Amino acid sequence: VIMLVIHDAGDGSPERCLLGRNAGWPEGVFSTLAGFVEAGESLEQAVGREVAEESSVLTTDVRYVASQPWPFPRSIMLGFEAIATSRDIVIDPHELADARWFTREELRSFGSWGDERFALQLPRSDSIARFLIDRWLNEEHSDTST
């Protein structure tokens, strides 16, 4: 599963999404969180567990968005959106080197993976991670009621 986690404080401040950076990636590259489904859990449970394990952020309202074939290990990546019910981040250093909340305005200033003109970069444009981010970026506001 791969997921874009969204937080709306409800106080008029901009919505934010949670992105993380894997230690093996180039400095400045941030992407959606992802992980494997454990035996006996639903996809929605996997989303919540993975987000909590990697960032300590709790989620609700997990919604399927899209899928993408994934060559390793002969699997499929299932993309979701989830709503954060907490905002404090405590990363698992075995999973992530960094995790942060970003507004749409902040993300619009990022480059794409490999474009070293930008200090911060988003995943490749052909990835489901980028699809989830771009989908959120292009919304006027998130509809969390569906």
Side-chain angles (χ1 to χ4, degrees):
V1 293
I2 188 163
M3 60 297 273
L4 183 71
V5 179
I6 301 162
H7 184 267
D8 183 350
D11 61 3
S13 62
E15 265 188 345
R16 289 171 163 69
C17 72
L18 177 65
L19 300 181
R21 191 178 80 71
N22 183 300
W25 295 346
E27 190 67 37
V29 174
F30 282 85
S31 186
T32 54
L33 304 186
F36 289 95
V37 179
E38 299 287 336
E41 72 181 346
S42 70
L43 299 173
E44 294 83 1
Q45 289 169 327
V47 167
R49 178 186 51 75
E50 285 289 344
V51 173
E53 285 179 2
E54 293 182 5
S55 68
S56 298
V57 171
L58 303 178
T59 58
T60 189
D61 297 329
V62 176
R63 297 178 311 277
Y64 170 80
V65 175
S67 64
Q68 177 182 24
W70 203 249
F72 180 79
R74 294 184 310 256
S75 58
I76 188 166
M77 190 69 84
L78 301 169
F80 293 85
E81 280 188 354
I83 304 302
T85 60
S86 65
R87 195 162 154 208
D88 292 336
I89 299 170
V90 179
I91 63 166
D92 175 347
H94 299 290
E95 297 281 345
L96 297 174
D98 194 4
R100 302 182 205 169
W101 292 103
F102 295 100
T103 65
R104 286 181 178 90
E105 183 178 344
E106 290 169 327
L107 291 183
R108 287 187 180 106
S109 70
F110 283 37
S112 289
W113 187 310
D115 189 342
E116 295 180 8
R117 295 175 299 164
F118 296 88
L120 298 175
Q121 301 164 22
L122 293 174
R124 293 172 24 155
S125 61
D126 62 350
S127 67
I128 190 169
R130 183 63 176 269
F131 173 80
L132 293 170
I133 295 166
D134 286 347
R135 181 175 179 272
W136 180 72
L137 271 175
N138 293 322
E139 293 177 359
E140 285 297 312
H141 56 79
S142 285
D143 179 9
T144 58
S145 64
T146 58

